[in-house]
Amino acid sequence: MPGSWLVLVLAAVAGFFVGGVNPASIVARLRHGDLRLGSGNPGATNTGRLLGVRWGVLVGVLDVLKGLLPTLLALWWFDRFTAYAVGLACIVGHILSPYLHGRGGKGVATSLGAVTAVLPWFSLVMLGVFGIVVARSRWVAGASVSAALALLLLSVFAPMPAPVLAGRIWGATVALIVIGRHHRNIRVWMATRLR
């Protein structure tokens, strides 16, 4: 119905602008830090690297919440399909922040928040994979890619709540976005393996 589509579009636009709010940049400004240093990425990992672990954790939690809360509200107020749209919009807003002239983070924490809202047990698996890889390798980017691969496999093969096809496409899309945002890390890893 036209009204339903209008709600979906407006909700997704709101999600995009909420997702675009970048806690890393706000914290860096308050702490007089420069996120152009380190990896140059305005996200939780680089914040922790440059400003300290507690600030990185704070940014990570806020990034998770800005994916979780709008998606959860869309699920409660509307339906699962609208929640998928809002969650994806939050992730895209984080990556292409309108407040940072199209720059943004890699979308890992915001993706985790959105997945937790609509596919909570998928997020538990992702966290488990992330934790294991970090513990073994101390490589956050590799752990993020591994968690995204876990999401991709779950989206293709695991049971899904209705609408099943939409959920599978959504989960796979989120996973591929996160993996794509780590293409440089993947290239570096492959280059070191091929030496």
Side-chain angles (χ1 to χ4, degrees):
M1 293 174 62
S4 299
W5 281 107
L6 180 61
V7 167
L8 186 146
V9 170
L10 291 176
V13 169
F16 175 80
F17 282 102
V18 170
V21 176
N22 189 272
S25 297
I26 295 169
V27 167
R29 196 174 299 119
L30 293 173
R31 300 291 300 168
H32 307 292
D34 188 353
L35 293 179
R36 291 172 298 182
L37 303 174
S39 67
N41 184 59
T45 302
N46 200 37
T47 302
R49 190 179 294 125
L50 296 173
L51 300 178
V53 173
R54 65 176 180 167
W55 295 108
V57 170
L58 174 64
V59 168
V61 169
L62 292 174
D63 280 344
V64 168
L65 289 175
K66 75 179 183 181
L68 173 66
L69 295 179
T71 309
L72 203 55
L73 289 174
L75 183 63
W76 287 344
W77 290 345
F78 305 114
D79 53 40
R80 184 167 289 274
F81 194 76
T82 304
Y84 287 147
V86 169
L88 186 60
C90 288
I91 296 163
V92 174
H94 175 80
I95 292 169
L96 303 174
S97 173
Y99 312 113
L100 298 178
H101 310 291
R103 289 182 63 245
K106 293 183 177 178
V108 178
T110 306
S111 296
L112 178 64
V115 172
T116 301
V118 289
L119 301 168
W121 76 269
F122 282 23
S123 68
L124 290 176
V125 175
M126 292 168 66
L127 280 171
V129 170
F130 182 91
I132 291 168
V133 175
V134 165
R136 291 177 64 89
S137 68
R138 305 293 179 189
W139 187 32
V140 174
S144 299
V145 172
S146 299
L149 286 171
L151 174 61
L152 182 59
L153 291 172
L154 288 167
S155 299
V156 173
F157 296 111
M160 276 272 186
V164 176
L165 180 60
R168 294 195 189 285
I169 292 171
W170 184 84
T173 300
V174 170
L176 291 172
I177 287 172
V178 172
I179 293 168
R181 290 291 289 171
H182 286 84
H183 64 92
R184 289 197 187 99
N185 305 94
I186 295 169
R187 283 207 306 267
V188 169
W189 180 82
M190 291 180 67
T192 58
R193 291 288 172 175
L194 294 173
R195 283 178 186 170

